[in-house]
Amino acid sequence: MITFTVFLLALIISFHSGPVRADQTDPRLPGLFDSLRTAPNAAAAQATADRIWRIWSENPDNALLTQTLNEGVAQMNAGRLREAERLFTSVIEADPDFAEAWNKRATLYFLMGAYDLSKRDIAQTIAREPQHFGALSGLGLVETHIGNYDAALKAYEQAAAIHPFMDGYDDIVSALKKLVKGTAL
């Protein structure tokens, strides 16, 4: 189980790498999501997903919030989790509609073992950006970690409906289906 959890965490972190910003209302997103869903192959899907992450990773109204969020990610990556939490929270307080701030703090809470807080922030992310495949896969990771395999499977399936070429999806779903059935991995 530990190896599976580490694999899932690495997958989630890979979705969350790169510059961070979130503008879930950008008019380019609907077309990009259509392209992502209908991508002919993994390379095309990844290129489209990268474009979506770039749009999500900036606050269009406040460059300082984008900078603060980036600093929070740097602090999180350096293991300074309390400082990252402070920074993410300050961004959320300044702009509660900034979906990626909620998503980054959800990731941080997962790393801190605060699974209820992580799920709460994932819900806030999804409320602002229902197609946030990163948050949905993050929810799958949290649910897997707490042993709620049915909910984890549903979350990953929702994420894959948006991003059908997610790295590792087939292995994750296969493992979760075994866990749901009570079969050892």
Side-chain angles (χ1 to χ4, degrees):
M1 182 62 175
I2 297 296
T3 302
F4 182 65
T5 300
V6 170
F7 168 74
L8 291 174
L9 180 59
L11 178 64
I12 297 307
I13 289 170
S14 74
F15 280 136
H16 298 273
S17 62
V20 287
R21 172 191 169 192
D23 177 18
Q24 66 276 7
T25 61
D26 189 289
R28 296 172 291 177
L29 286 174
L32 288 170
F33 282 121
D34 288 342
S35 294
L36 184 60
R37 279 188 197 89
T38 60
N41 56 52
Q46 189 56 53
T48 301
D50 289 346
R51 290 180 64 200
I52 291 168
W53 279 109
R54 280 192 297 274
I55 292 167
W56 281 341
S57 66
E58 291 182 15
N59 186 298
D61 301 321
N62 190 324
L64 181 58
L65 292 181
T66 300
Q67 181 181 347
T68 303
L69 194 65
N70 285 327
E71 178 60 23
V73 171
Q75 295 295 320
M76 181 171 61
N77 290 341
R80 293 185 287 275
L81 303 184
R82 290 294 175 197
E83 179 60 14
E85 179 185 26
R86 185 189 69 73
L87 291 165
F88 294 148
T89 299
S90 72
V91 173
I92 291 167
E93 288 171 350
D95 184 356
D97 291 327
F98 191 9
E100 194 58 23
W102 292 98
N103 187 52
K104 291 300 184 218
R105 194 172 72 175
T107 302
L108 174 74
Y109 284 148
F110 175 82
L111 294 172
M112 295 171 81
Y115 306 120
D116 288 341
L117 294 175
S118 182
K119 285 174 63 172
R120 182 197 68 198
D121 281 7
I122 290 168
Q124 292 294 327
T125 305
I126 294 168
R128 287 157 179 78
E129 175 51 89
Q131 297 185 88
H132 202 300
F133 51 85
L136 288 165
S137 61
L139 179 60
L141 178 61
V142 172
E143 296 290 6
T144 298
H145 196 77
I146 62 176
N148 192 354
Y149 305 126
D150 285 318
L153 185 58
K154 288 176 187 171
Y156 282 115
E157 288 172 343
Q158 287 177 313
I162 299 162
H163 185 343
F165 288 97
M166 285 189 315
D167 287 337
Y169 171 77
D170 292 333
D171 292 335
I172 292 166
V173 168
S174 175
L176 284 170
K177 285 180 178 178
K178 289 177 183 176
L179 291 168
V180 166
K181 290 179 183 178
T183 307
L185 294 180

